[in-house]
Amino acid sequence: TRPPVTPETNPPTPSPTKPPTPSPTRPPVTPKTDPPTTPPPTSCKPPYTIEQRIEMLKERYRNACDTEPNDDLRKLAFDYVLELSEEDCPPDDPMDLQRYVMALYYYSTNGDNWDDKGNYLDQNLDECDWLGLTCDVTIDGERKITQITHDENNLTGTLPPELGCLPELVVFQADDNKLTGPVPDTLTNNLKLERVDLDNNLLTGTIPQQIGKLQNLIIWDTDDNLMTGSIPDSIFSIGTLQALDINSNKLTGSLSPSFSRLKNLKVLQCDDNLFTGVVPPSMRLLSNLNQFILFNNDIEGTMPSGVCDLRNGSLKILDADCAGNPPEIVCNCCTQCKSETRKRKEDSILQNSYSVD
């Protein structure tokens, strides 16, 4: 017998060992700090004084509406809207700008002498609820003035240029008052305007040269005033215009052939002015024209046959200086012929100023 064979065994192979890999180290992180900022505009605490905060608000009004809150009536309006406590700060976009504008409108038109002041300037009410003002809510949820209506209310004085800072204004109506001065050129900044109705006042100056900016305008009514100058060329770009009522002023120049561009024009009242020249033949293209009144001017010649042809369609009223011997204008199709009888508004004012009750 053989002795039992003991199986050969190899010594255990040691597991490979590696020196521990040190964990990467990063430099210490310094917390990021923003550069110091000025306090937010809603926190106007010292070192700002009340006087400084007031000046900040005035500057924002100047920037927002090209106004000067330190001037006479504007100071009254600014003082009216000023509500600053010791913790308050003027907002970046002053929400009460339209309140300031409408307070200024009141003072500029001698509101204390209005026949009916109603609740105007009531401090407890939003300006949207004042007499004669209408507001709509914008997509931003703000109430913005869309209509001003103050007919026959003894408004005197002048219209402030700041009325051009009402971007949602659609209707401005102040007929039958005693307003003086010009229609502010800035009114044409209110691009949503559809109706301007200021007839029977004492307005002077010209039709705003930039009236063509009002591409939504439907009615321009400034008849029975003391306005001068010619019809601005820019008006002929307003395709929405339906009524141009400018009679009984002191307007000059001629009737432009460009009137034919106003395809939606229905009413053209330019009588009792100082217009010269002839009726442009191109006016035959105004197929929607319903009233064309031009008597008491210095317009001569013959009414174009194309304009007479409109009498078979929409044109129902056509009045001219076709009476007299000889007539100023020959018109065989006019609905009414008159002879020139000048009676200017300033003449009647002069007579009335010497009248005895």
Side-chain angles (χ1 to χ4, degrees):
T1 62
R2 294 180 184 179
V5 178
T6 304
E8 183 178 357
T9 59
N10 295 323
T13 303
S15 300
T17 58
K18 295 181 180 179
T21 303
S23 300
T25 58
R26 297 179 182 177
V29 178
T30 304
K32 184 179 180 181
T33 58
D34 294 325
T37 59
T38 56
T42 54
S43 177
C44 278
K45 295 185 177 181
Y48 295 123
T49 64
I50 293 177
E51 289 76 16
Q52 287 173 323
R53 292 197 295 272
I54 290 174
E55 285 305 314
M56 291 168 64
L57 181 59
K58 286 182 178 180
E59 187 61 25
R60 286 174 180 155
Y61 271 59
R62 293 184 186 104
N63 294 335
C65 195
D66 194 22
T67 187
E68 180 44 68
N70 291 327
D71 289 351
D72 45 88
L73 298 176
R74 287 157 182 81
K75 185 177 187 306
L76 288 175
F78 181 81
D79 290 345
Y80 172 80
V81 300
L82 183 62
E83 294 178 2
L84 284 176
S85 68
E86 292 190 2
E87 290 77 31
D88 288 334
C89 172
D92 286 324
D93 181 18
M95 298 296 294
D96 53 359
L97 178 61
Q98 69 176 8
R99 191 173 183 87
Y100 166 81
V101 170
M102 296 318 300
L104 176 58
Y105 169 81
Y106 176 89
Y107 293 123
S108 296
T109 59
N110 298 305
D112 288 344
N113 295 324
W114 290 2
D115 288 340
D116 182 9
K117 291 179 289 189
N119 59 5
Y120 211 97
L121 290 193
D122 189 329
Q123 282 280 23
N124 297 317
L125 294 176
D126 187 278
E127 65 273 8
C128 290
D129 300 317
W130 289 349
L131 175 77
L133 303 186
T134 302
C135 291
D136 287 342
V137 179
T138 66
I139 57 174
D140 297 326
E142 300 173 6
R143 298 180 74 195
K144 294 294 186 180
I145 294 172
T146 56
Q147 295 188 38
I148 303 172
T149 307
H150 291 118
D151 293 336
E152 298 183 74
N153 203 22
N154 196 37
L155 275 65
T156 57
T158 60
L159 298 173
E162 286 82 353
L163 286 172
C165 298
L166 301 172
E168 301 298 320
L169 189 64
V170 176
V171 175
F172 180 31
Q173 192 165 318
D175 288 345
D176 302 306
N177 287 292
K178 299 174 184 175
L179 294 167
T180 56
V183 177
D185 290 336
T186 54
L187 201 62
T188 62
N189 293 337
N190 301 326
L191 303 183
K192 294 186 179 181
L193 264 176
E194 295 180 4
R195 181 183 185 118
V196 175
D197 207 342
L198 298 169
D199 63 271
N200 197 22
N201 279 283
L202 301 171
L203 296 170
T204 55
T206 63
I207 300 172
Q209 290 299 309
Q210 298 299 316
I211 190 173
K213 291 164 59 178
L214 302 179
Q215 288 294 304
N216 294 295
L217 188 65
I218 296 173
I219 296 173
W220 179 274
D221 186 358
T222 52
D223 71 273
D224 206 7
N225 280 287
L226 300 169
M227 299 179 71
T228 55
S230 58
I231 300 173
D233 286 340
S234 67
I235 201 171
F236 303 120
S237 69
I238 308 177
T240 56
L241 192 64
Q242 295 183 20
L244 180 59
D245 193 355
I246 52 175
N247 62 279
S248 303
N249 281 282
K250 297 190 291 181
L251 299 173
T252 56
S254 59
L255 300 182
S256 171
S258 295
F259 265 107
S260 62
R261 295 169 58 189
L262 302 177
K263 302 299 184 182
N264 289 303
L265 193 65
K266 297 179 180 179
V267 176
L268 176 55
Q269 294 184 187
C270 54
D271 49 291
D272 195 20
N273 278 290
L274 299 170
F275 291 119
T276 57
V278 300
V279 177
S282 60
M283 297 193 77
R284 72 186 187 280
L285 300 176
L286 298 178
S287 58
N288 291 306
L289 195 62
N290 180 265
Q291 298 180 35
F292 183 19
I293 304 176
L294 66 156
F295 65 83
N296 210 8
N297 279 289
D298 293 318
I299 295 175
E300 302 175 336
T302 300
M303 187 67 67
S305 59
V307 175
C308 285
D309 290 342
L310 295 177
R311 293 280 292 112
N312 299 321
S314 61
L315 187 57
K316 305 303 178 186
I317 298 175
L318 178 60
D319 296 351
D321 290 322
C322 46
N325 188 17
E328 282 202 47
I329 182 169
V330 176
C331 182
N332 297 323
C333 61
C334 285
T335 54
Q336 188 173 11
C337 285
K338 298 186 177 184
S339 58
E340 185 183 0
T341 55
R342 299 251 177 237
K343 183 173 178 58
R344 296 290 170 203
K345 186 168 186 175
E346 66 269 24
D347 296 334
S348 63
I349 294 170
L350 183 63
Q351 292 174 5
N352 291 336
S353 66
Y354 289 98
S355 63
V356 179
D357 293 335

